[in-house]
Amino acid sequence: QAQLVESGGGLVQPGGSLRLSCVVSGLALDNYVFGWFRQAPGKEREGISCISPFDGSTYYTDSVKGRFTISTRKYSSNTGSLQMESLKPEDTAVYYCALYNDYYSCSDYASYYDVMDYSGKGTLVTVSS
């Protein structure tokens, strides 16, 4: 049975860093487009980053470009990560990792981030002084 488990969230001061991890079991990570989306209190879900093993493409929403970096298998096999730098209070949200079976490229991730095949239960990131 497929399972995704996020970790690495917590309380961090503005300007700080966090690295989120997503351990995937029951599936081979390389067979799916891998992404992160978030949901802030009182707001809609937002697809923030994606990486494709098929064409090597990546996607970052404008608000995180230059601050967040997505990777897969960099720290451990079958694990995806999101390195977050220069965190801002507006980054406060529950962060979820997800896998997508029906897509090839991340170029249009903004259009399909909410139709994942698998996702985890999320990890809370709070950016506050």
Side-chain angles (χ1 to χ4, degrees):
Q1 186 174 353
Q3 189 175 25
L4 282 65
V5 180
E6 303 95 337
S7 63
L11 174 63
V12 62
Q13 292 186 341
S17 302
L18 283 175
R19 188 175 78 220
L20 305 184
S21 295
C22 174
V23 177
V24 178
S25 58
L27 295 168
L29 184 57
D30 283 348
N31 291 341
Y32 298 84
V33 168
F34 174 76
W36 290 91
F37 64 94
R38 67 187 179 185
Q39 187 161 24
K43 295 188 177 181
E44 294 186 354
R45 288 178 179 175
E46 177 187 24
I48 56 172
S49 187
C50 169
I51 185 167
S52 168
F54 308 117
D55 66 356
S57 60
T58 57
Y59 167 89
Y60 297 94
T61 194
D62 286 346
S63 62
V64 308
K65 279 181 183 175
R67 300 188 298 120
F68 290 11
T69 305
I70 192 170
S71 62
T72 55
R73 295 183 294 109
K74 180 176 182 180
Y75 300 101
S76 180
S77 63
N78 238 38
T79 298
S81 301
L82 186 68
Q83 180 68 43
M84 307 188 295
E85 308 284 350
S86 303
L87 284 162
K88 305 175 180 180
E90 52 263 43
D91 294 317
T92 295
V94 179
Y95 286 71
Y96 302 85
C97 59
L99 297 177
Y100 303 83
N101 188 42
D102 296 330
Y103 298 92
Y104 179 83
S105 174
C106 287
S107 60
D108 54 349
Y109 183 61
S111 68
Y112 70 78
Y113 75 89
D114 210 22
V115 286
M116 72 290 292
D117 290 276
Y118 305 97
S119 65
K121 295 183 179 180
T123 186
L124 175 63
V125 172
T126 302
V127 185
S128 175
S129 54

